[in-house]
Each structure stands twice: as C-alpha cells, then as structure tokens.
Amino acid sequence: MDPRGELTVRQAGQRGGTSTAGKHGSSFYREIGRRGGQARKGQLGPEGYAKLGRKGGEARKTQLGSRGYAELGRNGGEARKTQLGSEGYAQLGRKGGRRVAELIKRGKQPGK
C-alpha cells in the first residue's frame, strides 16, 4: 500500500500538474495552449473560431456585467499602451481609424 495514503483522481491530477509545471515552466503551458488553439482553429475554420470567441466574450460579459467588462477592456488598453509606448499606441489608433473608414466606404458601395 502507498505510504502516502490513497489519492482521489483530483489529487493525483493536481500532483501531476504540479510536477509538470516544475519540470517545464510556464512557457511549456503557453506553447501547448497555442498549439491547441491552432488545432481548434483548423477544425472550426476562421468563421467558426471567431464565433467561438464571441460566445466566450458574451459569457465573460455576463459574468462581469457591463461595467466589469468595460473595465476589463480599459485595463487591456492600458496594458497595450504600456507595451507600445505613447507613440506606438497612437500609431495603432490611426491604423484602426483607417480600417474603420475603409469598412464604412465598402459598406456604402452599391450591390454590397
């Protein structure tokens, strides 16, 4: 008999996860997550993957409420601004503005 006593499936899984994390570190989990996401995107295609993302966003919005969801967006924007710096963030905003203008123009074209 195991001197540590019997383990539940949950406890055994937790031990295994802790052991794997200790051996491989966080970059391992990032990489397997990226690979899994790419595989799922291949299964669903771009539209299906986008639909899945929207579904997840709606679920998160329900959890947080509209104020919490807005705060989450602001925090993400601030983090991105810190990464890019003020000029890089301004450049990103200009790029987004041009894209919106392009989409509006395309939407106004007859037959679309």
Side-chain angles (χ1 to χ4, degrees), residues 11 42 60 64 66 99:
Q11 289 168 326
R60 188 68 172 139
L64 296 174
S66 58
R99 177 70 175 143

Side-chain angles (χ1 to χ4, degrees), residues 40-61:
R40 189 67 174 141
K41 187 175 183 180
Q43 292 170 340
L44 297 174
E47 285 300 316
Y49 199 65
K51 185 177 178 181
L52 186 65
R54 284 190 295 274
K55 185 177 177 182
E58 287 300 320
R60 188 68 172 139
K61 188 175 182 180

